């Protein structure tokens, strides 16, 4: 179904056919010469926000994309490594939830040690004060001395991964929560989320492929050097956000201010438990990530099954431009079809494709690459559509309770991403041990070619199962879980306007489609 030019303009400006004058956002700074009337942020602020997010997310992806590879190249016992990875995530579970509570409850700018440079705002002071810790831990993780024994390598990995998770949480929770305080305009918020996802998609694909190409046998650079240099560059991208962005929607309206300030940790958890929409969102994501074993073994699967560690990255490159076009249309898709329907549909398509791949012989390289090109398109928009869900669920809790629990929600989201993503990586490592994986001790794939370390037929089958069947099960179950999400988009938008003070609670309740 096509969208007319007139409808496209209404969607971009927030004046869709169902809107009313009472829903106009509160007056604030305009950007783009009036092109975005009612938007709160300036173009400069949005650019700095995108740059900071690129630095933060790709910095985290250094560990996600290269961390498991780095560990596999150390020649350690993969099942012991899997156990340590799970232990790291147990520690991280407590860290994420507690830090979400701290961010929601306290103001770091009131602490004497941070007062001079934390600056104003609700979440930016946390970022300004702590963002520099994150790149330090990444550099130290990949600076593991090559002369260490197996036990010392595992200890180094465990300690630095724990520190990495702590430092990443220190900036991830405030940065994700920041989307709630940058603006009170739902259209502006969704547009920022969409643009952030598009930029992240493009750069993640390009940068991840660059990393993997540089460490592949085609170039042969050491993985450690690639990771450390990349983190230094990404740290520089994070600097402008600390000093050039302002929060325009730092507080709730139409609520009793005393209720916002006095809630306890137990009350926050009760708020989370009472929000079934956030619970569905988190459970859906946890299922998918827990079974996302493919990311940990993709390059080894490509190397041993297809003879080239970079071959499975070609679909991402080929489908890049169509994927970006689909991302650009994500706001219109969500506006026209809602959020839940496209999320479920794309998940079902991805799962069906992944199941089908398992039954295609790995000798059919061209066919597999072609299928992966097509399957990659729904995957690119799924993450963006899911990112629209979290603010809606948060607005629901803010509307129902008068409490701003953004920090705890995004802390839980961070926990799900890291803990269950870690479970996926640990599951892949543990399964490789069961499939009789032969350990390798190499600096990269160029070194692995020179060593010519073979793998058994059982190990090769295991690689293909972990790349296709297991992730397909996760995606399918995740999509089915989202069928239970029934918060209407129009109702969430009304709640957002009430929370921002644009309309009264009485006006909001009169326009809701049903009682919540």
């Amino acid at each position: 179904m096509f969208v007319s030019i007139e409808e496209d303009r209404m969607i971009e400006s927030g004046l869709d056919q169902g809107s009313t004058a009472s829903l106009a956002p509160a007056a604030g700074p305009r950007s783009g010469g009036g092109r975005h009337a009612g938007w709160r942020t300036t173009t400069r602020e949005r650019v700095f926000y995108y740059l900071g997010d690129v630095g933060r997310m790709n910095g985290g992806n250094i560990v996600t994309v290269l961390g498991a590879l780095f560990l596999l190249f150390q020649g350690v016992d993969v099942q012991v490594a899997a156990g340590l990875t799970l232990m790291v995530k147990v520690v991280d579970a407590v860290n994420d939830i507690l830090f979400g509570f701290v961010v929601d409850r306290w103001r770091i700018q009131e602490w004497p040690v941070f007062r001079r440079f934390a600056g104003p705002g609700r979440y930016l002071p946390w970022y300004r004060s702590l963002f520099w810790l994150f790149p330090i831990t990444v550099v130290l993780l990949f600076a593991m001395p090559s002369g260490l024994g197996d036990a010392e390598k595992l200890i180094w990995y465990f300690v630095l991964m724990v520190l990495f998770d702590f430092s990443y949480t220190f900036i991830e929770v405030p940065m994700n929560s920041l989307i709630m305080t940058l603006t009170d305009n739902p259209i502006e918020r969704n547009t920022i989320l969409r643009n952030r996802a598009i930029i992240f998609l493009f750069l993640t694909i390009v940068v991840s492929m660059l990393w993997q190409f540089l460490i592949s046998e085609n170039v042969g650079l050491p993985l450690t050097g690639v990771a450390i240099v990349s983190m230094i560059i990404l740290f520089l991208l994070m600097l402008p956000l600390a000093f050039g962005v302002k929060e325009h929607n730092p507080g709730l309206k139409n609520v009793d201010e005393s209720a916002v300030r006095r809630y306890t940790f137990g009350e926050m958890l009760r708020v989370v438990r009472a929000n079934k929409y956030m619970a569905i969102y988190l459970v859906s994501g946890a299922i998918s990530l827990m079974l996302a074993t493919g990311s940990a073994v993709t390059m080894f699967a490509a190397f041993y099954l297809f003879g080239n560690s970079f071959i499975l990255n070609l679909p991402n490159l080929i489908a890049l431009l169509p994927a970006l076009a689909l991302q650009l249309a994500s706001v219109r898709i969500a506006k026209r079809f809602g959020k839940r329907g496209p999320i479920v549909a794309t998940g079902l398509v991805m799962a069906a494709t992944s199941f089908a791949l398992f039954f295609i012989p790995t000798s059919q390289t061209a066919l597999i690459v072609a299928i992966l090109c097509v399957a990659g398109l729904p995957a690119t928009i799924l993450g963006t559509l899911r990112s629209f869900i979290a603010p809606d669920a948060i607005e629901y809790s803010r509307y129902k309770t008068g409490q701003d629990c953004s920090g705890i929600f995004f802390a839980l989201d961070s926990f799900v991403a890291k803990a269950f993503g870690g479970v996926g990586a640990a599951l892949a490592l543990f399964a490789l041990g069961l499939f009789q994986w032969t350990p390798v001790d190499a600096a990269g794939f160029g070194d692995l070619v020179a060593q010519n370390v073979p793998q058994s037929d059982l190990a090769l089958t295991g690689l293909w199962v972990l790349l296709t069947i297991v992730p397909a099960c996760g995606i399918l179950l995740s999509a089915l879980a989202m069928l239970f999400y029934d918060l209407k988009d129009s109702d969430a938008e009304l709640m957002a306007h009430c929370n921002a003070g644009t309309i009264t609670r009485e006006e909001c309740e009169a326009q809701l489609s049903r009682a919540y």
Side-chain angles (χ1 to χ4, degrees):
M1 185 178 295
F2 295 96
V3 180
S4 68
I5 294 176
E6 290 76 17
E7 289 173 323
D8 180 67
R9 287 174 179 169
M10 287 191 291
I11 290 171
E12 292 296 326
S13 64
L15 301 177
D16 56 287
Q17 293 177 344
S19 62
T20 66
S22 66
L23 295 183
R30 297 184 179 184
S31 59
R35 179 185 174 191
H36 300 303
W39 282 29
R40 306 282 277 169
T41 58
T42 65
T43 300
R44 181 173 179 267
E45 287 176 322
R46 293 194 296 275
V47 169
F48 285 173
Y49 176 73
Y50 298 144
L51 288 176
D53 203 61
V54 165
R56 187 264 301 183
M57 297 186 75
N58 277 287
N61 270 351
I62 292 178
V63 178
T64 301
V65 175
L66 301 181
L69 282 173
F70 178 70
L71 194 58
L72 285 172
F73 275 128
Q74 303 310 308
V76 298
D77 187 306
V78 290
Q79 292 186 321
V80 174
L84 285 178
T85 300
L86 286 177
M87 289 175 61
V88 168
K89 296 309 172 184
V90 170
V91 176
D92 195 34
V94 178
N95 163 46
D96 277 346
I97 296 175
L98 288 181
F99 190 70
F101 167 70
V102 169
V103 168
D104 273 335
R105 184 66 183 268
W106 289 306
R107 305 292 186 266
I108 196 171
Q109 62 268 41
E110 297 174 359
W111 301 0
V113 68
F114 297 114
R115 187 174 297 157
R116 295 184 60 183
F117 50 88
R122 180 68 183 83
Y123 298 112
L124 277 175
W126 289 98
Y127 178 84
R128 297 188 192 104
S129 302
L130 301 172
F131 80 100
W132 53 273
L133 291 171
F134 161 58
I136 292 175
T137 60
V138 175
V139 169
L140 289 176
L141 173 64
F142 287 96
M144 178 190 296
S146 59
L148 294 179
D150 287 352
E152 289 82 5
K153 287 180 178 178
L154 290 171
I155 292 172
W156 184 286
Y157 167 77
F158 177 79
V159 172
L160 266 300
M161 279 297 295
V162 169
L163 293 176
F164 161 75
D165 280 333
F166 269 86
S167 65
Y168 193 72
T169 299
F170 289 164
I171 63 168
E172 182 178 36
V173 172
M175 281 197 69
N176 283 335
S177 301
L178 189 60
I179 192 62
M180 306 302 298
T181 57
L182 280 177
T183 177
D184 55 8
N185 185 318
I187 298 298
E188 180 183 8
R189 182 182 294 164
N190 282 347
T191 303
I192 291 174
L193 286 170
R194 179 202 63 185
N195 293 344
R196 183 179 74 166
I198 292 171
I199 295 168
F200 176 65
L201 167 71
F202 177 78
L203 290 181
T204 297
I205 291 176
V206 171
V207 172
S208 296
M209 286 193 299
L210 179 61
W211 289 336
Q212 295 176 69
F213 180 69
L214 291 176
I215 67 173
S216 72
E217 65 275 19
N218 302 294
V219 178
L221 292 181
L223 189 153
T224 294
V226 171
I228 291 176
V229 171
S230 298
M231 188 66 255
I232 293 172
I233 295 172
L234 293 170
F235 168 69
L236 297 177
L237 295 181
M238 296 167 65
L239 286 173
L241 176 60
F243 309 106
V245 176
K246 176 184 177 182
E247 295 174 84
H248 299 276
N249 183 41
L252 289 173
K253 309 296 187 301
N254 289 325
V255 297
D256 180 1
E257 290 296 328
S258 62
V260 177
R261 297 291 297 182
R262 68 169 180 253
Y263 60 87
T264 65
F265 183 58
E267 288 171 338
M268 290 178 66
L269 292 182
R270 283 193 291 273
V271 169
V272 174
R273 288 197 300 269
N275 189 335
K276 69 173 185 178
Y277 307 112
M278 181 57 68
I280 292 169
Y281 169 81
L282 293 174
V283 168
S284 172
I287 293 171
S288 177
L289 289 167
M290 183 170 58
L291 298 177
T293 53
S295 58
V297 301
T298 297
M299 290 196 74
F300 276 105
F303 181 83
Y304 280 110
L305 295 175
F306 300 97
N308 188 319
S309 65
F310 193 70
I311 190 69
L312 293 181
N313 284 297
L314 285 180
N316 292 330
L317 182 61
I318 295 170
L320 181 58
L321 290 180
L324 288 175
L326 196 58
Q327 286 278 11
L328 285 170
S330 60
V331 171
R332 293 195 296 273
I333 291 173
K335 199 72 176 178
R336 176 59 63 88
F337 302 105
K339 302 182 180 75
R340 184 184 68 173
I343 288 174
V344 173
T346 52
L348 293 177
V349 170
M350 290 169 59
T353 305
S354 192
F355 278 124
L357 277 176
F358 176 76
F359 298 99
I360 300 176
T362 55
S363 59
Q364 301 294 320
T365 305
L367 177 59
I368 289 172
V369 170
I371 292 175
L372 286 173
C373 288
V374 176
L377 293 177
T380 60
I381 196 173
L382 179 60
T384 304
L385 292 171
R386 280 184 59 83
S387 73
F388 296 160
I389 293 287
D392 286 355
I394 290 172
E395 293 290 7
Y396 168 80
S397 271
R398 297 170 85 181
Y399 174 76
K400 293 291 290 184
T401 68
Q403 297 178 354
D404 190 358
C405 298
S406 302
I408 194 69
F409 278 133
F410 282 116
L412 286 170
D413 193 28
S414 171
F415 162 66
V416 167
K418 288 189 291 182
F420 289 93
V423 169
L427 179 61
L429 294 174
F430 183 78
L432 282 179
L434 296 179
F435 284 112
Q436 300 178 7
W437 174 263
T438 301
V440 297
D441 189 353
F445 285 98
D447 191 13
L448 189 57
V449 170
Q451 294 186 31
N452 192 28
V453 179
Q455 297 292 341
S456 67
D457 289 341
L458 182 60
L460 298 181
T461 300
L463 286 172
W464 196 227
V465 169
L466 293 172
L467 197 66
T468 57
I469 294 295
V470 178
C473 292
I475 296 168
L476 175 61
L477 293 174
S478 175
L480 295 178
M482 284 303 298
L483 289 173
F484 296 94
Y485 179 90
D486 60 354
L487 174 62
K488 289 191 175 182
D489 298 347
S490 58
D491 290 342
E493 185 172 343
L494 282 165
M495 294 174 187
H497 284 297
C498 178
N499 292 335
T502 305
I503 60 176
T504 66
R505 179 169 291 271
E506 291 73 19
E507 289 173 325
C508 179
E509 291 176 353
Q511 298 179 68
L512 290 174
S513 65
R514 60 184 174 88
Y516 284 89

